[in-house]
Amino acid sequence: LGISWMKRFVDNDTRYSPFICGTEYNRVVSSFEVSRSYNNCPY
């Protein structure tokens, strides 16, 4: 998630958006059982 965030916002590479806020993000969050209250999408 950290690398995806840096690529998205530092390099302005929108290809990484799904890893920050999308299906890949939701898969990772669900696997770690993180509370949905931390979901701050869209960015």
Side-chain angles (χ1 to χ4, degrees), residues 8-9 17 20-22 39-43:
R8 171 62 183 93
F9 294 106
S17 294
I20 299 170
C21 182
N39 189 356
N40 60 354
C41 296
Y43 316 117

Side-chain angles (χ1 to χ4, degrees), residues 2-40:
I3 292 171
S4 296
W5 185 91
M6 289 178 66
K7 291 296 287 181
R8 171 62 183 93
F9 294 106
V10 175
D11 292 345
N12 201 26
D13 190 344
T14 58
R15 294 177 296 171
Y16 287 85
S17 294
F19 296 100
I20 299 170
C21 182
T23 55
E24 288 298 318
Y25 172 82
N26 291 333
R27 183 182 59 80
V28 170
V29 168
S30 296
S31 69
F32 289 112
E33 297 180 10
V34 177
S35 172
R36 294 249 182 232
S37 64
Y38 291 110
N39 189 356
N40 60 354

